[in-house]
Structure formats: structure tokens, C-alpha cells
Amino acid sequence: ALVFSFLCVSKELLSYLISSLSSLKKMYYIVDIQGFQYKDSDFICKEIAIFKHSSLSASASSSEISHRIVQLPIPQTWFNQHDVITKHLEWTTNNVHGLSWNNGCAHLGFKDGGNKKRELLLPYQDLKFFLRNVISTNNLVYVKGLQKKEWLAKLINNPIIDLEEIGCTYNIDQFILTHKNTQQHCNQHIYNNLRCAKKNVLVFKEWLNTKMV
């Protein structure tokens, strides 16, 4: 029964992908998030990147990335009385994504393609509005990992596909090493050799392109 159920789910997913292929090539989104989580607590998003692909014609397309660093609702000092949590947050910063919990100034300056730009910090309570403002209703959204898919599903009503369900099962750190030419780190991290949502969506786009040709 479990095998039959799995096959049914797989066939439904495959059928959806095949029937939607033409629309996927017209417009789709890829989302990645980086953040913090302690044991079974809710995931706290600190960085979000949304890649948008639009086909203008059979031979032309456009793309853009919306990227924000998220201002968290409480300062890290709130956890000072919980030494274990503080150490876990610091470990995540130093070993996973290089993002500081307290990165929360009014404006963030960064360099991208040699041009200095300014990027507004996104208040945590505005995450849902930001997502729905950037992502058009009914268009397909890709994300890598079940946890991120479930987090995203609470905020938008779009159909969401976990890239791992369609073959992108690589460890993200190893996967990025195979895409060294995708040099789009957002420069908002303390350590630029760790995970970056902006760079991740571009890496996933490269992988997805190989499945849509």
C-alpha cells in the first residue's frame, strides 16, 4: 500500500510537471532562505532570495532577483540567559551561512557588479507581504528541501515543488562547489565562503535549466 501510494504521488507530480512545462518556461520562481533554528523550534528566516524567470518569446527571456536581509523581532542579547541557545546561534553563523542575528541597521550597503547599491532591511513581520508582492499568484515556485517548502507554504498559496523531488538531491555545499562560476554572493555575510540565499537560487537555476531544455 505504501509503495502504491508513493507511485501515485510520483505520477501526480510527474503529470503536473509535464502538463505545466510550457507555462514553466514562461514564468517560474526559485526561492532560498537562510536562517536559524534551535532543535524543534520554528525556523527563523534571516535572508531570503527570490529568482524570477520570464520568457518573453521563444528566443528571449528575462530574469531578476529580489533579495533581502531580514530584521529579526528580538535582539540576540535576549538569549544571553540561555547559554546553549546563544552558542547554537553563534555556531550557525560561523559554520552555516555567516549571517549575524543582529545584522539590523536601517540600511545595508553592498557591492554588486562593481556598483554600490543600498538595500532596505526587511522587518520580519513583512515577510509574507514581501513574498506575495514579488511572487505572482498561481505561478510555480521551486525550493530545495522539505523544511523550506513547508515554511514557504505557510506564507504563499502558489504550487511549490521541492527540487529534491525532481532529482536535485545534492548536498548544497558540495553542489555549490561544482558551480564556482556562479559568483553572486551578496556580501552581507561575515564569512563569504558559506551559504548565501542569493547565490543558491542562481545555482539552482543552472541545475533547473538542464531539466527544461
Side-chain angles (χ1 to χ4, degrees):
L2 288 176
V3 173
F4 178 78
S5 176
F6 173 76
L7 289 175
C8 289
V9 171
S10 299
K11 287 181 179 179
E12 288 178 0
L13 176 61
L14 182 60
S15 176
Y16 180 85
L17 288 174
I18 293 174
S19 64
S20 304
L21 187 57
S22 60
S23 61
L24 293 185
K25 290 186 176 182
K26 292 180 180 178
M27 182 178 291
Y28 64 85
Y29 299 86
I30 305 173
V31 176
D32 190 62
I33 54 175
Q34 299 297 318
F36 300 89
Q37 184 177 33
Y38 179 71
K39 293 186 176 180
D40 296 328
S41 65
D42 292 337
F43 178 83
I44 303 296
C45 176
K46 182 62 186 176
E47 176 189 27
I48 184 166
I50 304 171
F51 174 88
K52 175 185 177 182
H53 170 90
S54 301
S55 289
L56 305 177
S57 67
S59 59
S61 64
S62 67
S63 62
E64 61 182 278
I65 295 179
S66 299
H67 174 262
R68 293 289 186 275
I69 300 296
V70 181
Q71 184 179 34
L72 301 185
I74 55 176
Q76 186 171 336
T77 52
W78 189 86
F79 299 110
N80 285 350
Q81 56 183 321
H82 306 285
D83 189 53
V84 175
I85 298 179
T86 299
K87 288 183 178 179
H88 180 77
L89 297 179
E90 292 174 349
W91 183 92
T92 302
T93 295
N94 295 330
N95 295 278
V96 179
H97 49 55
L99 292 163
S100 168
W101 178 286
N102 287 329
N103 188 349
C105 55
H107 290 81
L108 300 174
F110 67 97
K111 293 183 178 180
D112 187 359
N115 298 316
K116 190 171 182 179
K117 302 178 181 179
R118 300 183 72 82
E119 181 176 33
L120 289 174
L121 201 71
L122 179 67
Y124 198 84
Q125 64 270 23
D126 292 342
L127 261 171
K128 184 175 182 178
F129 174 81
F130 172 73
L131 279 161
R132 295 193 173 194
N133 186 55
V134 174
I135 299 176
S136 300
T137 306
N138 298 326
N139 285 294
L140 189 61
V141 177
Y142 291 98
V143 67
K144 188 176 187 297
L146 178 60
Q147 181 191 44
K148 293 181 180 180
K149 177 180 178 180
E150 292 176 343
W151 180 88
L152 196 57
K154 296 177 182 178
L155 300 174
I156 61 174
N157 297 320
N158 298 61
I160 304 172
I161 288 183
D162 179 356
L163 288 168
E164 295 182 0
E165 295 176 355
I166 56 174
C168 187
T169 56
Y170 307 92
N171 174 279
I172 181 61
D173 300 310
Q174 296 174 342
F175 192 43
I176 288 176
L177 288 176
T178 66
H179 293 73
K180 292 183 179 180
N181 293 329
T182 308
Q183 301 297 332
Q184 291 289 341
H185 207 286
C186 75
N187 295 330
Q188 292 301 324
H189 304 247
I190 298 174
Y191 310 109
N192 287 339
N193 62 331
L194 299 177
R195 299 177 189 177
C196 170
K198 183 179 180 182
K199 182 169 184 176
N200 285 357
V201 294
L202 290 170
V203 170
F204 297 148
K205 181 262 297 184
E206 288 187 19
W207 182 88
L208 200 56
N209 282 347
T210 66
K211 304 300 177 182
M212 291 186 169
V213 295

